[in-house]
Amino acid sequence: HHIKAMFAAIEQHSTEIRTAKASPDPQVRDTVRGIRPTGPSTRQRIRATLRKAINDALAEEIIVGVTNPATLVKTRGDRPHPIVWEPERVQHWKATGQVPGPVMVWTDELLAQFLDHAAEHDPDLHPLLHFMAYRGPRRGEACGLRDSEVRLDKREVTINNQLTGHGRKVRQKPPKSKAGNRDLTIDADTAAVLTAYRARRAAQRLATGSTWPDTGLFFVRPNGQPWRPHLITNRFRKLVKRAGLPPIRLHDLRHGAATIALDAGIDIKVVSEQLGHTTTTLTRDTYQSVTKELHHNAADAVAERIKNKRRRTA
């Protein structure tokens, strides 16, 4: 009952935040500026952390003779599915400012517009954003990509590290799961972008001289320091706004990479491994509903069968 009460309090607080954000009173909205409600995914992670802690206590016989109560409590709310910014939705957003859902992905046309804008207006960050958009690593995985794990001659990179922010400090740690340790094959365009970036980075290092820090990371700021994850998010938001594009979150570049790959007919097993998912179930449940090609083929097949059996009329 303690765990249930905790989640009830979390949901109540989240409701209060949402209500305040939607208030017509600007002073009320200011009280929750920068404060986010706790969504379904975060509640699931809270429950998973608690379940793991209690399981560890049971394994060490710190507590005995009980069933793990965290396994008996279910968190409400489904994982939101990505919604594509189709032209009609973009027009509605331009007219009303309304965003259809919490998880939005660009079409490949919108993504191309954004990357062109980023290359022109933020060339230091553009290579990292390009890598995220094309191959779908998590933000921390892109920030923590090791220089020694980038093999541009073979068009391969290995994800085995991530960078996380804690206030003003950053630290490196392994990916979030065993499946997160993975090899990614990159396309020729991405290899060209990263090759040009490596040459640019070498020139910046030469100009900086002996004060250049040896972080061992591939993507670094012009002074050689690591990219703080929240700084990338802030700069991404500004780029999107200045480009006049419909809003998405930085993490939605990952969703977009998966959606575009599935729409292109890439096998879901390959996409799942690309994203570092433990199983294809998560990949299928999250993205299958937004892929178009298979759904169009299914609709055409049904129509063809029915049409052939209908009586033709003048």
Side-chain angles (χ1 to χ4, degrees):
H1 68 278
H2 290 140
I3 300 173
K4 288 183 178 180
M6 177 188 71
F7 280 114
I10 290 173
E11 292 184 23
Q12 176 62 32
H13 184 54
S14 296
T15 300
E16 293 170 356
I17 294 172
R18 295 188 188 94
T19 301
K21 285 182 177 292
S23 173
D25 187 341
Q27 291 184 339
V28 174
R29 294 198 301 271
D30 284 344
T31 63
V32 291
R33 187 180 301 277
I35 301 175
R36 296 191 302 175
T38 304
S41 296
T42 303
R43 293 199 299 270
Q44 290 173 6
R45 286 194 291 270
I46 292 171
R47 175 176 171 268
T49 302
L50 181 59
R51 184 178 66 241
K52 175 66 164 58
I54 297 175
N55 277 339
D56 288 348
L58 288 168
E60 296 295 330
E61 296 187 349
I62 297 171
I63 55 177
V64 295
V66 299
T67 299
N68 188 334
T71 64
L72 306 176
V73 176
K74 303 300 180 184
T75 57
R76 293 191 300 173
D78 296 324
R79 180 186 297 271
H81 289 291
I83 300 174
V84 178
W85 273 115
E86 300 287 4
E88 295 80 4
R89 291 173 179 148
V90 175
Q91 290 299 321
H92 184 70
W93 164 74
K94 288 181 177 179
T96 66
Q98 295 178 353
V99 179
V103 179
M104 302 298 300
V105 296
W106 286 324
T107 60
D108 45 4
E109 292 87 356
L110 292 173
L111 177 61
Q113 291 178 36
F114 170 76
L115 290 176
D116 287 344
H117 178 84
E120 179 179 356
H121 295 280
D122 199 342
D124 293 320
L125 187 57
H126 166 257
L128 185 149
L129 295 175
H130 177 108
F131 178 56
M132 290 184 66
Y134 273 60
R135 301 308 293 151
R138 300 174 178 90
R139 180 184 67 174
E141 294 171 344
C143 293
L145 181 63
R146 291 187 170 117
D147 200 26
S148 59
E149 299 298 344
V150 178
R151 301 173 292 280
L152 294 179
D153 55 333
K154 297 180 179 179
R155 289 171 33 191
E156 296 175 351
V157 302
T158 297
I159 303 292
N160 58 12
N161 187 48
Q162 65 172 325
L163 209 64
T164 60
H166 298 271
R168 300 184 64 85
K169 296 181 179 180
V170 294
R171 66 184 182 93
Q172 300 184 47
K173 66 178 186 179
K176 63 183 295 185
S177 67
K178 183 178 179 180
N181 291 278
R182 60 199 187 277
D183 292 327
L184 293 180
T185 302
I186 58 177
D187 58 282
D189 287 345
T190 300
V193 168
L194 299 188
T195 299
Y197 163 73
R198 179 173 272 175
R200 178 188 180 95
R201 188 190 65 186
Q204 291 170 338
R205 179 170 186 168
L206 184 62
T208 301
S210 60
T211 59
W212 182 274
D214 185 14
T215 64
L217 299 175
F218 183 76
F219 293 115
V220 292
R221 299 166 66 184
N223 61 2
Q225 294 292 337
W227 283 105
R228 293 198 300 272
H230 79 274
L231 177 60
I232 293 178
T233 297
N234 291 339
R235 288 173 70 152
F236 173 78
R237 288 172 181 165
K238 291 178 181 178
L239 283 169
V240 173
K241 187 174 182 179
R242 290 171 181 170
L245 294 170
I248 68 168
R249 305 167 306 163
L250 177 62
H251 190 70
D252 294 334
L253 288 180
R254 174 174 164 86
H255 293 309
T259 301
I260 292 173
L262 289 170
D263 256 348
I266 306 302
D267 186 86
I268 196 166
K269 174 66 173 174
V270 175
V271 177
S272 181
E273 292 177 353
Q274 168 191 324
L275 297 175
H277 286 167
T278 305
T279 68
T280 59
T281 301
L282 175 59
T283 315
R284 182 178 295 106
D285 290 348
T286 305
Y287 300 110
Q288 200 73 55
S289 63
V290 297
T291 57
K292 301 294 183 65
E293 189 65 29
L294 293 177
H295 292 288
H296 280 297
N297 291 343
D300 290 342
V302 170
E304 186 67 23
R305 292 195 58 159
I306 296 175
K307 182 177 68 174
N308 290 338
K309 292 178 171 56
R310 293 185 65 183
R311 292 179 298 173
R312 297 187 178 276
T313 59

PDB file of all heavy atoms in Angstrom, residues 54-80:
ATOM      1  N   ILE A  54      14.554  -4.215  -4.139  1.00  0.00           N
ATOM      2  CA  ILE A  54      13.960  -5.195  -3.226  1.00  0.00           C
ATOM      3  C   ILE A  54      14.431  -6.602  -3.583  1.00  0.00           C
ATOM      4  O   ILE A  54      14.693  -7.428  -2.693  1.00  0.00           O
ATOM      5  CB  ILE A  54      12.425  -5.084  -3.243  1.00  0.00           C
ATOM      6  CG1 ILE A  54      11.997  -3.699  -2.736  1.00  0.00           C
ATOM      7  CG2 ILE A  54      11.795  -6.170  -2.383  1.00  0.00           C
ATOM      8  CD1 ILE A  54      10.504  -3.446  -2.817  1.00  0.00           C
ATOM      9  N   ASN A  55      14.568  -6.901  -4.882  1.00  0.00           N
ATOM     10  CA  ASN A  55      15.093  -8.212  -5.281  1.00  0.00           C
ATOM     11  C   ASN A  55      16.514  -8.417  -4.757  1.00  0.00           C
ATOM     12  O   ASN A  55      16.884  -9.513  -4.317  1.00  0.00           O
ATOM     13  CB  ASN A  55      15.073  -8.346  -6.803  1.00  0.00           C
ATOM     14  CG  ASN A  55      13.718  -8.770  -7.329  1.00  0.00           C
ATOM     15  OD1 ASN A  55      12.911  -9.338  -6.586  1.00  0.00           O
ATOM     16  ND2 ASN A  55      13.448  -8.488  -8.590  1.00  0.00           N
ATOM     17  N   ASP A  56      17.330  -7.353  -4.805  1.00  0.00           N
ATOM     18  CA  ASP A  56      18.687  -7.460  -4.272  1.00  0.00           C
ATOM     19  C   ASP A  56      18.661  -7.731  -2.776  1.00  0.00           C
ATOM     20  O   ASP A  56      19.457  -8.525  -2.248  1.00  0.00           O
ATOM     21  CB  ASP A  56      19.463  -6.164  -4.549  1.00  0.00           C
ATOM     22  CG  ASP A  56      19.828  -6.024  -6.016  1.00  0.00           C
ATOM     23  OD1 ASP A  56      19.689  -7.013  -6.751  1.00  0.00           O
ATOM     24  OD2 ASP A  56      20.241  -4.913  -6.424  1.00  0.00           O
ATOM     25  N   ALA A  57      17.734  -7.067  -2.070  1.00  0.00           N
ATOM     26  CA  ALA A  57      17.615  -7.279  -0.624  1.00  0.00           C
ATOM     27  C   ALA A  57      17.179  -8.713  -0.316  1.00  0.00           C
ATOM     28  O   ALA A  57      17.663  -9.343   0.631  1.00  0.00           O
ATOM     29  CB  ALA A  57      16.625  -6.280  -0.027  1.00  0.00           C
ATOM     30  N   LEU A  58      16.273  -9.246  -1.135  1.00  0.00           N
ATOM     31  CA  LEU A  58      15.833 -10.630  -0.951  1.00  0.00           C
ATOM     32  C   LEU A  58      16.982 -11.601  -1.223  1.00  0.00           C
ATOM     33  O   LEU A  58      17.150 -12.591  -0.504  1.00  0.00           O
ATOM     34  CB  LEU A  58      14.650 -10.923  -1.885  1.00  0.00           C
ATOM     35  CG  LEU A  58      13.317 -10.266  -1.524  1.00  0.00           C
ATOM     36  CD1 LEU A  58      12.327 -10.406  -2.668  1.00  0.00           C
ATOM     37  CD2 LEU A  58      12.738 -10.895  -0.249  1.00  0.00           C
ATOM     38  N   ALA A  59      17.769 -11.308  -2.258  1.00  0.00           N
ATOM     39  CA  ALA A  59      18.886 -12.198  -2.603  1.00  0.00           C
ATOM     40  C   ALA A  59      19.937 -12.237  -1.503  1.00  0.00           C
ATOM     41  O   ALA A  59      20.565 -13.269  -1.267  1.00  0.00           O
ATOM     42  CB  ALA A  59      19.515 -11.746  -3.928  1.00  0.00           C
ATOM     43  N   GLU A  60      20.137 -11.122  -0.830  1.00  0.00           N
ATOM     44  CA  GLU A  60      21.127 -11.052   0.239  1.00  0.00           C
ATOM     45  C   GLU A  60      20.528 -11.409   1.602  1.00  0.00           C
ATOM     46  O   GLU A  60      21.203 -11.316   2.620  1.00  0.00           O
ATOM     47  CB  GLU A  60      21.716  -9.632   0.300  1.00  0.00           C
ATOM     48  CG  GLU A  60      22.490  -9.220  -0.937  1.00  0.00           C
ATOM     49  CD  GLU A  60      23.742 -10.045  -1.142  1.00  0.00           C
ATOM     50  OE1 GLU A  60      24.316 -10.494  -0.123  1.00  0.00           O
ATOM     51  OE2 GLU A  60      24.143 -10.249  -2.311  1.00  0.00           O
ATOM     52  N   GLU A  61      19.242 -11.788   1.589  1.00  0.00           N
ATOM     53  CA  GLU A  61      18.518 -12.151   2.812  1.00  0.00           C
ATOM     54  C   GLU A  61      18.503 -11.007   3.830  1.00  0.00           C
ATOM     55  O   GLU A  61      18.493 -11.218   5.034  1.00  0.00           O
ATOM     56  CB  GLU A  61      19.114 -13.421   3.436  1.00  0.00           C
ATOM     57  CG  GLU A  61      18.949 -14.640   2.537  1.00  0.00           C
ATOM     58  CD  GLU A  61      19.382 -15.925   3.223  1.00  0.00           C
ATOM     59  OE1 GLU A  61      20.006 -15.855   4.302  1.00  0.00           O
ATOM     60  OE2 GLU A  61      19.072 -17.010   2.683  1.00  0.00           O
ATOM     61  N   ILE A  62      18.522  -9.773   3.294  1.00  0.00           N
ATOM     62  CA  ILE A  62      18.337  -8.611   4.158  1.00  0.00           C
ATOM     63  C   ILE A  62      16.879  -8.574   4.615  1.00  0.00           C
ATOM     64  O   ILE A  62      16.572  -8.200   5.747  1.00  0.00           O
ATOM     65  CB  ILE A  62      18.724  -7.327   3.406  1.00  0.00           C
ATOM     66  CG1 ILE A  62      20.213  -7.369   3.054  1.00  0.00           C
ATOM     67  CG2 ILE A  62      18.400  -6.077   4.233  1.00  0.00           C
ATOM     68  CD1 ILE A  62      20.661  -6.256   2.139  1.00  0.00           C
ATOM     69  N   ILE A  63      15.983  -8.955   3.706  1.00  0.00           N
ATOM     70  CA  ILE A  63      14.592  -9.195   4.072  1.00  0.00           C
ATOM     71  C   ILE A  63      14.245 -10.602   3.624  1.00  0.00           C
ATOM     72  O   ILE A  63      14.761 -11.090   2.625  1.00  0.00           O
ATOM     73  CB  ILE A  63      13.639  -8.153   3.433  1.00  0.00           C
ATOM     74  CG1 ILE A  63      13.830  -8.110   1.902  1.00  0.00           C
ATOM     75  CG2 ILE A  63      13.836  -6.784   4.038  1.00  0.00           C
ATOM     76  CD1 ILE A  63      12.860  -7.151   1.216  1.00  0.00           C
ATOM     77  N   VAL A  64      13.403 -11.279   4.367  1.00  0.00           N
ATOM     78  CA  VAL A  64      13.092 -12.675   4.068  1.00  0.00           C
ATOM     79  C   VAL A  64      11.596 -12.908   4.215  1.00  0.00           C
ATOM     80  O   VAL A  64      10.883 -12.173   4.900  1.00  0.00           O
ATOM     81  CB  VAL A  64      13.847 -13.633   5.022  1.00  0.00           C
ATOM     82  CG1 VAL A  64      15.349 -13.534   4.814  1.00  0.00           C
ATOM     83  CG2 VAL A  64      13.505 -13.339   6.479  1.00  0.00           C
ATOM     84  N   GLY A  65      11.165 -13.955   3.531  1.00  0.00           N
ATOM     85  CA  GLY A  65       9.809 -14.443   3.739  1.00  0.00           C
ATOM     86  C   GLY A  65       8.703 -13.586   3.144  1.00  0.00           C
ATOM     87  O   GLY A  65       7.563 -13.671   3.588  1.00  0.00           O
ATOM     88  N   VAL A  66       9.034 -12.739   2.156  1.00  0.00           N
ATOM     89  CA  VAL A  66       7.996 -11.907   1.548  1.00  0.00           C
ATOM     90  C   VAL A  66       8.100 -11.992   0.031  1.00  0.00           C
ATOM     91  O   VAL A  66       9.137 -12.335  -0.524  1.00  0.00           O
ATOM     92  CB  VAL A  66       8.114 -10.425   1.992  1.00  0.00           C
ATOM     93  CG1 VAL A  66       7.963 -10.301   3.491  1.00  0.00           C
ATOM     94  CG2 VAL A  66       9.429  -9.826   1.520  1.00  0.00           C
ATOM     95  N   THR A  67       7.008 -11.667  -0.629  1.00  0.00           N
ATOM     96  CA  THR A  67       7.003 -11.499  -2.075  1.00  0.00           C
ATOM     97  C   THR A  67       7.335 -10.044  -2.379  1.00  0.00           C
ATOM     98  O   THR A  67       6.894  -9.146  -1.667  1.00  0.00           O
ATOM     99  CB  THR A  67       5.617 -11.847  -2.653  1.00  0.00           C
ATOM    100  OG1 THR A  67       5.325 -13.210  -2.345  1.00  0.00           O
ATOM    101  CG2 THR A  67       5.582 -11.646  -4.152  1.00  0.00           C
ATOM    102  N   ASN A  68       8.107  -9.834  -3.412  1.00  0.00           N
ATOM    103  CA  ASN A  68       8.484  -8.461  -3.780  1.00  0.00           C
ATOM    104  C   ASN A  68       7.221  -7.663  -4.087  1.00  0.00           C
ATOM    105  O   ASN A  68       6.540  -7.924  -5.089  1.00  0.00           O
ATOM    106  CB  ASN A  68       9.410  -8.485  -4.997  1.00  0.00           C
ATOM    107  CG  ASN A  68       9.992  -7.125  -5.316  1.00  0.00           C
ATOM    108  OD1 ASN A  68       9.409  -6.098  -5.000  1.00  0.00           O
ATOM    109  ND2 ASN A  68      11.144  -7.121  -5.960  1.00  0.00           N
ATOM    110  N   PRO A  69       6.856  -6.685  -3.263  1.00  0.00           N
ATOM    111  CA  PRO A  69       5.600  -5.964  -3.479  1.00  0.00           C
ATOM    112  C   PRO A  69       5.620  -5.090  -4.727  1.00  0.00           C
ATOM    113  O   PRO A  69       4.555  -4.777  -5.276  1.00  0.00           O
ATOM    114  CB  PRO A  69       5.469  -5.104  -2.212  1.00  0.00           C
ATOM    115  CG  PRO A  69       6.869  -4.928  -1.725  1.00  0.00           C
ATOM    116  CD  PRO A  69       7.576  -6.204  -2.068  1.00  0.00           C
ATOM    117  N   ALA A  70       6.815  -4.711  -5.205  1.00  0.00           N
ATOM    118  CA  ALA A  70       6.881  -3.860  -6.387  1.00  0.00           C
ATOM    119  C   ALA A  70       6.426  -4.599  -7.641  1.00  0.00           C
ATOM    120  O   ALA A  70       6.010  -3.983  -8.615  1.00  0.00           O
ATOM    121  CB  ALA A  70       8.297  -3.328  -6.582  1.00  0.00           C
ATOM    122  N   THR A  71       6.507  -5.949  -7.607  1.00  0.00           N
ATOM    123  CA  THR A  71       6.047  -6.714  -8.766  1.00  0.00           C
ATOM    124  C   THR A  71       4.532  -6.779  -8.837  1.00  0.00           C
ATOM    125  O   THR A  71       3.972  -7.115  -9.881  1.00  0.00           O
ATOM    126  CB  THR A  71       6.603  -8.148  -8.719  1.00  0.00           C
ATOM    127  OG1 THR A  71       6.074  -8.819  -7.555  1.00  0.00           O
ATOM    128  CG2 THR A  71       8.114  -8.156  -8.657  1.00  0.00           C
ATOM    129  N   LEU A  72       3.858  -6.474  -7.741  1.00  0.00           N
ATOM    130  CA  LEU A  72       2.399  -6.582  -7.689  1.00  0.00           C
ATOM    131  C   LEU A  72       1.697  -5.274  -8.030  1.00  0.00           C
ATOM    132  O   LEU A  72       0.477  -5.239  -8.171  1.00  0.00           O
ATOM    133  CB  LEU A  72       1.960  -7.029  -6.288  1.00  0.00           C
ATOM    134  CG  LEU A  72       2.606  -8.318  -5.769  1.00  0.00           C
ATOM    135  CD1 LEU A  72       2.151  -8.591  -4.340  1.00  0.00           C
ATOM    136  CD2 LEU A  72       2.268  -9.488  -6.682  1.00  0.00           C
ATOM    137  N   VAL A  73       2.467  -4.214  -8.146  1.00  0.00           N
ATOM    138  CA  VAL A  73       1.888  -2.898  -8.421  1.00  0.00           C
ATOM    139  C   VAL A  73       2.092  -2.565  -9.893  1.00  0.00           C
ATOM    140  O   VAL A  73       3.204  -2.664 -10.410  1.00  0.00           O
ATOM    141  CB  VAL A  73       2.539  -1.810  -7.536  1.00  0.00           C
ATOM    142  CG1 VAL A  73       2.002  -0.430  -7.897  1.00  0.00           C
ATOM    143  CG2 VAL A  73       2.287  -2.109  -6.073  1.00  0.00           C
ATOM    144  N   LYS A  74       1.027  -2.172 -10.559  1.00  0.00           N
ATOM    145  CA  LYS A  74       1.099  -1.790 -11.957  1.00  0.00           C
ATOM    146  C   LYS A  74       1.019  -0.271 -12.074  1.00  0.00           C
ATOM    147  O   LYS A  74       0.238   0.372 -11.382  1.00  0.00           O
ATOM    148  CB  LYS A  74      -0.052  -2.426 -12.757  1.00  0.00           C
ATOM    149  CG  LYS A  74      -0.106  -3.940 -12.663  1.00  0.00           C
ATOM    150  CD  LYS A  74       1.177  -4.585 -13.180  1.00  0.00           C
ATOM    151  CE  LYS A  74       1.118  -6.106 -13.089  1.00  0.00           C
ATOM    152  NZ  LYS A  74       2.394  -6.720 -13.504  1.00  0.00           N
ATOM    153  N   THR A  75       1.852   0.274 -12.934  1.00  0.00           N
ATOM    154  CA  THR A  75       1.786   1.715 -13.186  1.00  0.00           C
ATOM    155  C   THR A  75       0.861   1.955 -14.359  1.00  0.00           C
ATOM    156  O   THR A  75       0.912   1.251 -15.363  1.00  0.00           O
ATOM    157  CB  THR A  75       3.176   2.277 -13.504  1.00  0.00           C
ATOM    158  OG1 THR A  75       3.726   1.584 -14.634  1.00  0.00           O
ATOM    159  CG2 THR A  75       4.108   2.108 -12.314  1.00  0.00           C
ATOM    160  N   ARG A  76       0.027   2.953 -14.229  1.00  0.00           N
ATOM    161  CA  ARG A  76      -0.947   3.242 -15.271  1.00  0.00           C
ATOM    162  C   ARG A  76      -0.318   4.063 -16.389  1.00  0.00           C
ATOM    163  O   ARG A  76       0.631   4.791 -16.184  1.00  0.00           O
ATOM    164  CB  ARG A  76      -2.138   4.008 -14.690  1.00  0.00           C
ATOM    165  CG  ARG A  76      -2.968   3.182 -13.707  1.00  0.00           C
ATOM    166  CD  ARG A  76      -4.259   3.886 -13.378  1.00  0.00           C
ATOM    167  NE  ARG A  76      -4.038   5.190 -12.774  1.00  0.00           N
ATOM    168  CZ  ARG A  76      -5.009   6.051 -12.518  1.00  0.00           C
ATOM    169  NH1 ARG A  76      -6.242   5.755 -12.818  1.00  0.00           N
ATOM    170  NH2 ARG A  76      -4.726   7.216 -11.964  1.00  0.00           N
ATOM    171  N   GLY A  77      -0.906   3.920 -17.560  1.00  0.00           N
ATOM    172  CA  GLY A  77      -0.449   4.704 -18.696  1.00  0.00           C
ATOM    173  C   GLY A  77       0.348   3.877 -19.677  1.00  0.00           C
ATOM    174  O   GLY A  77       1.233   3.124 -19.309  1.00  0.00           O
ATOM    175  N   ASP A  78       0.008   3.990 -20.958  1.00  0.00           N
ATOM    176  CA  ASP A  78       0.708   3.263 -21.999  1.00  0.00           C
ATOM    177  C   ASP A  78       1.824   4.128 -22.574  1.00  0.00           C
ATOM    178  O   ASP A  78       1.792   5.356 -22.524  1.00  0.00           O
ATOM    179  CB  ASP A  78      -0.266   2.874 -23.121  1.00  0.00           C
ATOM    180  CG  ASP A  78      -1.348   1.917 -22.626  1.00  0.00           C
ATOM    181  OD1 ASP A  78      -1.029   1.073 -21.769  1.00  0.00           O
ATOM    182  OD2 ASP A  78      -2.493   2.029 -23.090  1.00  0.00           O
ATOM    183  N   ARG A  79       2.804   3.468 -23.144  1.00  0.00           N
ATOM    184  CA  ARG A  79       3.887   4.179 -23.812  1.00  0.00           C
ATOM    185  C   ARG A  79       3.315   4.918 -25.023  1.00  0.00           C
ATOM    186  O   ARG A  79       2.658   4.301 -25.877  1.00  0.00           O
ATOM    187  CB  ARG A  79       4.956   3.184 -24.259  1.00  0.00           C
ATOM    188  CG  ARG A  79       6.143   3.824 -24.967  1.00  0.00           C
ATOM    189  CD  ARG A  79       7.065   2.746 -25.491  1.00  0.00           C
ATOM    190  NE  ARG A  79       7.613   1.956 -24.412  1.00  0.00           N
ATOM    191  CZ  ARG A  79       8.717   2.236 -23.761  1.00  0.00           C
ATOM    192  NH1 ARG A  79       9.399   3.322 -24.068  1.00  0.00           N
ATOM    193  NH2 ARG A  79       9.152   1.450 -22.797  1.00  0.00           N
ATOM    194  N   PRO A  80       3.511   6.229 -25.147  1.00  0.00           N
ATOM    195  CA  PRO A  80       2.955   6.960 -26.289  1.00  0.00           C
ATOM    196  C   PRO A  80       3.628   6.538 -27.586  1.00  0.00           C
ATOM    197  O   PRO A  80       4.849   6.347 -27.638  1.00  0.00           O
ATOM    198  CB  PRO A  80       3.246   8.418 -25.957  1.00  0.00           C
ATOM    199  CG  PRO A  80       4.416   8.376 -25.022  1.00  0.00           C
ATOM    200  CD  PRO A  80       4.248   7.116 -24.218  1.00  0.00           C
TER     201      PRO A  80
END
